[in-house]
Amino acid sequence: MNYKSTRNSSLQVTAAQAIAQGISAEGGLFVPETLPEITQDDLRMLADKSYVERAKFVLGKFLTDFTEEELANCVESAYTADKFGSDDIAQLAHLYDGTYMLELWHGPTCAFKDMALQLLPHLLTVSAGKTAQGKEMVILVATSGDTGKAALEGFKDVPGTKILVFYPEDGVSNMQKRQMTTQEGKNVGVCAIKGNFDDAQNGVKAIFTSPEMAEKLAEKNRMFSSANSINWGRLVPQIVYYISAYCELVKAEEIQCGDPINVVVPTGNFGNILAAYYAKGMGLPVKTFICASNANKVLTDFINTGTYDKNRAFHTTISPSMDILISSNLERLLYALSGEDDKQIADWFGQLKSQGTYTVSEDVKQKLQAEFVGGYCDDCATKATIKAVFDKYSYLCDTHTAVAVKVYEDYKKKTGDTTKALIASTASPYKFTGAVLEALCGEVPQMDDFAQVQKLHEMSGLPIPTALAELKNKSVRFAGCIEAGQMPETVLSLLGE
């Protein structure tokens, strides 16, 4: 299995090269040359396996230059009961008839990013050993909240790596900020920027593709890589949990093998829902992908019109991990839908960079709308959904999962589609305690973050994650804030250059 770039189809690299490099030199994203097949017989076989065994099976189809022993070591080191609370790594909750919550937040940082970022450091270490000739890997991350902490925790004190994270100063929750700024580890660095996530993401991409920065790192025997979902090693583990969830439904006799399901994902950077799309491409029976956005509804508008337009007001919402106007992983989807037309992709994303907008062809729009439905809701509807779901089902959603629930309910009312649905539940409610309490109580209680956590526990009975409770006594290590244009020099400073 080789990989090519969305902006250069003639390029051929191994999985290890794609993971170590993170992004192609011309700015394209690496994609597999073909999608491997998973059959119904495979799904029946996997239904009786553990999450670790399912992960080995699926990842083995993509990471063909990893030995069986290397891949086993990576997977078994990442997905442990100590890290995820049980051997049931991606837990399913039956919300109501035909609707299931795929809880992806039982890992060490209480967000779905752990599902990939507990594995990526192991994949990257193996990849670097195969391709980087002993270079130190500098992991550069832009985050809207969850990726940053999950990456920091995953790469903390990993030999041969340094990790630097940039986040928007006013674009993450208090708990997310505290998670990052108190991060332990000798090889980590964190810095806020004045701006939003897109500013941080654009800054990281510019650094990645800068020959001058690459030269400065090379002088010290270093190279950049990424922990954002632009890195194939971040995206491919996410395919696993959709296949695993389907197998769990088969095992529980909630569906018959071969029955289609709908998949609902609260989406910002488009990576999580793209992983489900790739799973379908392999053979997972998915009928419709329901893409849920908050007030920053650039994806909803794109799916409905075929025009991507980031020239709009940016909204800071109570679901900050979705406060994004440039959805990087959409490039991979459009590459597939356009028949792998790398020149067209380069043109569209060149227009996005220069003009802030592009319009896909009618053919691509029709293919998009045949697979995807877009919907959105604002903060008011998000909070109303949190309360309604809790009151009716005693199930507590965070502010991102609630967006998905609301958009799915709207979809059902509009279409009458009763296909059983899997909703990606992406974060613990305790990461957004103030907003969740406001949803339940009508106002944010006037108390500090940790008193709010205790109050939410008393109201819901939901256990407080140990990792969040321990933040109360940790000291802030990283308090810096810079202009987005200062990111290159800040990277060099954090690296001690």
Side-chain angles (χ1 to χ4, degrees):
M1 172 70 73
N2 282 324
Y3 292 77
K4 51 195 175 185
S5 167
T6 52
R7 302 187 195 181
N8 181 3
S9 294
S10 65
L11 191 66
Q12 294 283 312
V13 299
T14 65
Q17 287 173 303
I19 291 169
Q21 194 171 330
I23 189 171
S24 188
E26 80 292 337
L29 306 185
F30 290 116
V31 295
E33 57 186 356
T34 58
L35 285 177
E37 182 183 10
I38 189 165
T39 67
Q40 289 190 29
D41 286 342
D42 290 332
L43 293 172
R44 292 188 188 95
M45 176 271 294
L46 291 172
D48 293 324
K49 303 295 185 182
S50 68
Y51 190 89
V52 165
E53 290 170 315
R54 292 168 185 165
K56 291 177 188 176
F57 181 85
V58 175
L59 294 172
K61 291 180 173 290
F62 288 100
L63 308 180
T64 55
D65 53 336
F66 282 56
T67 67
E68 187 174 333
E69 183 180 10
E70 286 171 340
L71 189 56
N73 287 338
C74 289
V75 172
E76 290 167 8
S77 299
Y79 300 126
T80 67
D82 285 346
K83 293 178 180 178
F84 287 86
S86 78
D87 291 325
D88 186 10
I89 304 300
Q91 300 181 24
L92 274 180
H94 196 170
L95 187 61
Y96 53 83
D97 186 38
T99 303
Y100 309 87
M101 309 299 284
L102 175 55
E103 294 182 347
L104 300 169
W105 41 266
H106 292 284
T109 75
C110 308
F112 82 97
K113 308 297 175 69
D114 288 325
M115 300 298 295
L117 284 166
Q118 283 301 303
L119 180 61
L120 179 60
H122 301 287
L123 297 180
L124 186 59
T125 299
V126 174
S127 297
K130 292 177 181 292
T131 67
Q133 301 174 326
K135 290 183 179 179
E136 183 178 58
M137 307 299 290
V138 178
I139 315 301
L140 204 56
V141 179
T143 186
S144 54
D146 288 333
T147 290
K149 173 59 181 178
L152 288 163
E153 193 63 28
F155 281 95
K156 177 183 68 178
D157 292 329
V158 171
T161 69
K162 290 187 182 295
I163 177 165
L164 310 176
V165 171
F166 293 94
Y167 70 93
E169 180 182 25
D170 298 318
V172 300
S173 76
N174 289 341
M175 194 64 75
Q176 287 174 314
K177 182 179 292 188
R178 189 164 184 84
Q179 281 186 302
M180 289 187 285
T181 57
T182 60
Q183 178 64 47
E184 299 169 345
K186 296 178 181 179
N187 64 334
V188 305
V190 179
C191 188
I193 69 157
K194 297 175 182 177
N196 58 38
F197 168 76
D198 294 316
D199 297 319
Q201 181 168 250
N202 288 337
V204 163
K205 282 187 175 181
I207 293 169
F208 261 104
T209 54
S210 165
E212 293 80 10
M213 290 293 287
E215 184 178 338
K216 287 182 179 180
L217 261 67
E219 290 172 359
K220 299 293 180 68
N221 201 33
R222 292 168 168 164
M223 65 177 285
F224 283 126
S225 191
S226 171
N228 285 96
S229 55
I230 56 175
N231 190 320
W232 180 251
R234 235 301 294 281
L235 188 61
V236 69
Q238 297 179 261
I239 298 172
V240 176
Y241 53 69
Y242 290 108
I243 293 172
S244 179
Y246 189 91
C247 292
E248 283 297 311
L249 292 174
V250 171
K251 181 179 180 180
E253 299 183 348
E254 297 289 339
I255 59 174
Q256 296 295 313
C257 194
D259 288 349
I261 61 170
N262 287 335
V263 172
V264 190
V265 185
T267 307
N269 214 20
F270 207 76
N272 200 358
I273 198 167
L274 179 68
Y277 173 81
Y278 281 143
K280 179 179 180 177
M282 296 174 69
L284 193 71
V286 179
K287 178 176 175 285
T288 302
F289 299 98
I290 299 157
C291 179
S293 301
N294 61 15
N296 294 293
K297 58 186 182 74
V298 64
L299 284 168
T300 302
D301 291 344
F302 173 66
I303 291 169
N304 291 335
T305 67
T307 294
Y308 195 101
D309 187 358
K310 75 176 184 69
N311 299 322
R312 59 180 68 208
F314 178 87
H315 302 283
T316 300
T317 74
I318 60 171
S319 45
S321 296
M322 299 159 67
D323 290 350
I324 294 172
L325 294 181
I326 302 176
S327 303
S328 290
N329 271 292
L330 190 60
E331 180 168 340
R332 285 185 166 114
L333 176 68
L334 294 181
Y335 182 72
L337 296 182
S338 67
E340 302 188 344
D341 188 340
D342 54 356
K343 292 183 175 57
Q344 181 64 82
I345 295 300
D347 180 54
W348 283 336
F349 285 86
Q351 291 180 48
L352 182 66
K353 184 175 182 179
S354 63
Q355 302 168 32
T357 184
Y358 62 87
T359 299
V360 299
S361 65
E362 186 63 27
D363 175 62
V364 168
K365 185 175 89 168
Q366 289 179 7
K367 289 177 180 176
L368 175 72
Q369 293 176 345
E371 301 267 18
F372 290 84
V373 170
Y376 76 98
C377 71
D378 61 15
D379 281 356
C380 184
T382 301
K383 287 182 280 192
T385 301
I386 292 171
K387 180 168 175 54
V389 170
F390 184 71
D391 289 348
K392 191 169 184 178
Y393 305 110
S394 299
Y395 188 89
L396 192 60
C397 293
D398 85 291
T399 52
H400 302 75
T401 306
V403 170
V405 172
K406 176 63 167 70
V407 170
Y408 176 58
E409 291 299 323
D410 290 346
Y411 166 80
K412 282 201 302 182
K413 289 175 185 176
K414 182 178 180 180
T415 65
D417 185 357
T418 58
T419 304
K420 291 185 176 182
L422 191 67
I423 299 178
S425 179
T426 55
S428 166
Y430 287 110
K431 295 196 76 168
F432 309 95
T433 311
V436 173
L437 279 172
E438 184 179 8
L440 298 180
C441 305
E443 60 181 4
V444 180
Q446 297 303 304
M447 54 182 72
D448 69 31
D449 294 338
F450 296 98
Q452 289 181 3
V453 166
Q454 184 59 37
K455 181 173 178 62
L456 186 59
H457 169 66
E458 292 167 0
M459 292 182 66
S460 68
L462 189 69
I464 301 170
T466 302
L468 297 185
E470 290 176 345
L471 289 175
K472 183 176 183 178
N473 298 316
K474 288 190 175 183
S475 300
V476 172
R477 293 183 65 200
F478 304 102
C481 183
I482 60 169
E483 299 289 344
Q486 296 175 288
M487 287 173 62
E489 61 197 74
T490 302
V491 167
L492 296 175
S493 175
L494 289 170
L495 290 172
E497 297 190 15

